Each structure stands twice: as C-alpha cells, then as structure tokens.
C-alpha cells in the first residue's frame, strides 16, 4: 500500500469503513497479517491478499478471483455451480442470508483457498517472488477457460486439481 492510499484495519468481524476523498476508481485490497483470524475456522490466516472492485461490500476469495481474472460475478457463480448471487455484495455471515447459498459460498471459498495457498507456498519455496499472485492468476485462467467452454467446475474434482497443478508447473518448471 502506498503512503497516499487510504487504508484501515477491519473490526474483529471483518467489517471496515474507509473514505477515499480522491474520487478515483480503485480496487479494495485486503492484506492479512499474523493477527488475522478466519472466523469461519478459527485459524490464523496470514499472508493472504484478497481483492474486490470499488463498490463491493464484501472481499472474498470469489471476489478476488473475479477481480484478478476479469470474470464477471455471474461467470464466477455459473462456472463454480453456485446459485445466482451477487458475489460482490453477498455476505454469507449475514443472519438474513439464505442458509443454503451461504453454505455453498463458504464451501467454495474454502476450496479456493485450500487449492491456492499450498500452490502459492510451493511457488514461493521454489524461488517465486509472489507465488500467491501467480497461483491466483493460474486459478483464474483455468476458470476463464472453463467459462469459455461453458463448463461447470467442481473444485473437489481431481481432474480440476490436476489441471491447476499442471498450470502451476508451467509457471515454475522446477516443480
């Protein structure tokens, strides 16, 4: 974050408020620290970067993939087999959220992170300067290809994991 960029810390529930007086378009970027706790698991969530476009009310793995891959929210929900929700504003922890949709979004969000984070660690360990960003990009590229094919992806399907690992291997030939 540059010194002239607005920034803030979130509350314990992940909510935040930020004012940008520059009136410019910007992405919302969340950078987790050693004190970040994933409230859905109770686990520490360090060194994760999530993003969403200006105007989003939530920042999640889904918004990150959409934001970084230039896929629309509708394309993301379609390719991942999710109910048609607005991923930029759907909060699965909102007490008024549809329980089935909330559960589906949380499961897919965890699957995304459980796929990307180990791949990012492998890339970092092999000398990458930003394995996390590379893993997010590779994940998004596969989803974009699946959108173009008209496919629906199951993140627990071994063939998707294999395809992702091949993509990661193409980033770093030493893997």
């Amino acid at each position: 974050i540059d010194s002239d960029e607005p920034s803030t810390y979130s509350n314990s529930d992940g909510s935040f408020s930020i004012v940008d007086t520059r009136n410019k378009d910007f992405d919302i970027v969340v950078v987790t620290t050693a004190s970040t706790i994933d409230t859905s698991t109770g686990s520490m969530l360090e060194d994760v970067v999530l993003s969403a476009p200006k105007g989003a009310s939530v920042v999640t793995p889904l918004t990150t993939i959409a934001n970084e891959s230039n896929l629309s929210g509708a394309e993301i929900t379609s390719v991942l087999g999710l109910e048609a929700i607005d991923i930029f504003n759907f909060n699965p922890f909102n007490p008024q959220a549809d329980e089935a949709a909330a559960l589906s979004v949380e499961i897919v969000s965890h699957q995304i992170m459980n796929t990307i984070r180990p791949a990012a660690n492998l890339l970092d360990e092999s000398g990458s300067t930003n394995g996390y960003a590379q893993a997010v990009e590779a994940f998004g590229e596969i989803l974009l290809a699946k959108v173009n094919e008209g496919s629906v992806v199951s993140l627990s399907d071994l063939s998707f994991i294999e395809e992702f690992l091949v993509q990661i291997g193409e980033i770093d030939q030493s893997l």
Side-chain angles (χ1 to χ4, degrees), residues 33-156:
T33 66
S35 63
T36 304
I37 303 296
D38 178 346
T39 56
S40 68
T41 64
S43 301
M44 185 178 70
L45 189 64
E46 186 175 9
D47 297 327
V48 171
V49 178
L50 300 172
S51 67
K54 181 179 183 178
S57 64
V58 295
V59 183
T60 69
L62 293 171
T63 63
T64 302
I65 298 301
N67 202 42
E68 301 301 323
S69 67
N70 294 317
L71 288 166
S72 71
E75 289 171 321
I76 292 287
T77 56
S78 177
V79 75
L80 293 175
L82 292 170
E83 193 174 304
I85 58 163
D86 176 2
I87 65 168
F88 302 107
N89 293 295
F90 181 77
N91 180 352
F93 297 103
N94 183 324
Q96 282 76 44
D98 177 79
E99 288 183 23
L103 180 60
S104 295
V105 166
E106 271 304 288
I107 288 170
V108 167
S109 294
H110 282 278
Q111 289 174 321
I112 290 170
M113 296 308 295
N114 289 336
T115 303
I116 289 174
R117 291 186 74 204
N121 290 339
L122 281 173
L123 289 166
D124 287 340
E125 289 173 10
S126 70
S128 171
T129 57
N130 194 345
Y132 183 81
Q134 290 173 309
V136 168
E137 181 179 343
F139 194 94
E141 287 174 3
I142 293 171
L143 289 189
L144 177 60
K146 298 298 183 188
V147 165
N148 290 335
E149 294 171 4
S151 299
V152 174
V153 171
S154 169
L155 298 180
S156 59

